[in-house]
Amino acid sequence: MGLEKETVRRVLIVAFDDAQILDVACPSGALEIANSHGAAPPYVVELATVQGRTTRSSSGIMLAGARRLAEVSGRVDTVIVVGGAGTSAAAADDRLLTQVRRLAGRSRRIASVCTGAFVLAAAGLLDDRRVTTHWGYGELLAATFPAVNVDPAPLYIRDGNVFTSAGVISALDLTLALIEDDCGPTLAREVARELVTYLHRPGDQAQISTFLAVPPPGNRVVRDLLGYIAAHLAEDLSPPALAARAGVTTRHLTRLFTAQLGSTPARTVRTARTEAAAQLVRSTALPLAAVARRCGFASAETLRTAFRQYYGITGDTLRRMTDMPRPIGA
């Protein structure tokens, strides 16, 4: 029966003990808001587990109201398999894998959040597909399932009717993409606005910005200053000002940043400001001059120069692009 004849879009979230609660909450919450803004047909979200009982999330919060997977019958529009600390046990549970395969065969599309990709891969649903997962587990997924083409960089990937997404909050980006596919960009924007989130990050945007791509620095001074920089982009972040804040000399600060980040303080600040400005350009209608002020650039022309150097394009081009460009040299 075609989707146009359906009265609801039935979404089944597959969970297990020690699942990440945000992997459940992000899709279910976004779909609830989509309904409040007139999604048609409306979404009906169900939670299902192997045993159909209340299950414990990795945070200790109990998830009640779960159905037994084997008892799920009829048409399912979308199956979403979550991830979390319990993924390894879930991917080794033949009962779960059998039901996921069965449901995949009767659904319009299937998706995974974070390490839920391991469950889909163990069920044989990702062979010869391009997929993603949390950046910290990409190598393990590729090594465990050689037939799967793993790309750990994007926030989410669509390959046919199979969607895979990166870690935790990228479930929101994935769900906004599903809503846009179903109901159009206007409703997706309304959901994003109500969620007070960026609208919505493109799937091929890197999971981790260049500013955060390195491991957290071991040096407390650098670590604290990175947090300060991210929260105070419009303020004086010159090397002398940062050094004074940290109580060290400018020369010592430069040595610390170079050793910990492979970058000078000035270059680190410019990268943080440029990436934040790119997000504002793509997610708001603010004039370039306003974006420049918010992110600490002296003028719109200075920001244009930063975009050309960092992305190889202008701010106007960036605003028109569907997909987020990768930094030059990335």
Side-chain angles (χ1 to χ4, degrees):
M1 183 165 54
L3 178 60
E4 67 277 6
K5 297 180 181 179
E6 296 291 329
T7 58
V8 298
R9 286 190 178 93
R10 190 178 179 199
V11 178
L12 187 73
I13 298 179
V14 179
F16 40 80
D17 279 341
D18 290 323
Q20 167 57 251
I21 194 168
L22 285 173
D23 290 8
V24 176
C26 283
S28 60
L31 294 176
E32 174 198 357
I33 292 172
N35 285 343
S36 73
H37 284 273
Y43 296 98
V44 173
V45 181
E46 303 172 35
L47 182 69
T49 63
V50 168
Q51 296 182 343
R53 57 170 173 76
T54 297
T55 189
R56 182 191 66 251
S57 70
S58 57
S59 67
I61 294 175
M62 306 302 286
L63 300 171
R67 297 193 57 188
R68 188 166 174 264
L69 276 168
E71 295 175 351
V72 176
S73 60
R75 176 181 169 80
V76 177
D77 182 77
T78 306
V79 176
I80 301 176
V81 179
V82 305
T87 301
S88 294
D93 188 336
D94 288 336
R95 299 169 301 170
L96 178 61
L97 300 182
T98 296
Q99 294 304 319
V100 168
R101 279 191 292 266
R102 178 181 71 86
L103 292 166
R106 65 194 312 158
S107 62
R108 180 168 67 97
R109 60 192 175 195
I110 187 164
S112 65
V113 178
C114 195
T115 52
F118 282 82
V119 175
L120 294 189
L125 298 172
L126 300 185
D127 288 358
D128 301 317
R129 292 187 183 274
R130 177 172 171 259
V131 309
T132 194
T133 188
H134 188 288
W135 63 267
Y137 293 89
E139 290 185 6
L140 179 60
L141 182 63
T144 307
F145 302 99
V148 178
N149 179 14
V150 180
D151 183 351
L155 288 170
Y156 59 88
I157 291 175
R158 177 180 188 172
D159 188 326
N161 70 335
V162 176
F163 293 74
T164 51
S165 66
V168 191
I169 299 300
S170 65
L172 183 54
D173 299 290
L174 169 66
T175 309
L176 287 170
L178 298 179
I179 293 169
E180 181 169 337
D181 275 357
D182 295 339
C183 307
T186 299
L187 191 138
R189 281 195 293 269
E190 291 173 353
V191 174
R193 280 197 293 268
E194 184 155 336
L195 289 168
V196 196
T197 186
Y198 286 120
L199 169 73
H200 70 274
R201 296 183 295 174
D204 71 344
Q205 183 173 319
Q207 293 185 30
I208 309 175
S209 72
T210 300
F211 186 51
L212 298 176
V214 295
N219 183 272
R220 182 185 59 79
V221 170
V222 177
R223 188 169 60 248
D224 290 349
L225 283 178
L226 285 181
Y228 180 79
I229 290 167
H232 299 83
L233 292 175
E235 299 181 16
D236 181 3
L237 299 178
S238 63
L242 292 175
R245 179 173 183 81
V248 298
T249 66
T250 302
R251 178 176 295 181
H252 184 55
L253 183 73
T254 300
R255 285 198 296 265
L256 287 175
F257 269 65
T258 302
Q260 294 286 311
L261 304 176
S263 177
T264 64
R267 190 177 301 118
T268 300
V269 169
R270 190 172 180 82
T271 297
R273 283 173 166 163
T274 303
E275 291 186 342
Q279 288 283 12
L280 281 176
V281 165
R282 297 197 72 255
S283 62
T284 75
L286 286 173
L288 208 60
V291 173
R293 286 194 300 273
R294 287 193 181 191
C295 296
F297 288 94
S299 65
E301 186 54 41
T302 305
L303 177 55
R304 290 189 183 96
T305 299
F307 280 155
R308 285 193 294 267
Q309 292 174 342
Y310 193 69
Y311 294 114
I313 58 176
T314 66
D316 291 338
T317 301
L318 178 63
R319 178 160 274 163
R320 291 194 300 267
M321 291 181 69
T322 301
D323 297 325
M324 188 75 174
R326 294 185 185 275
I328 294 174

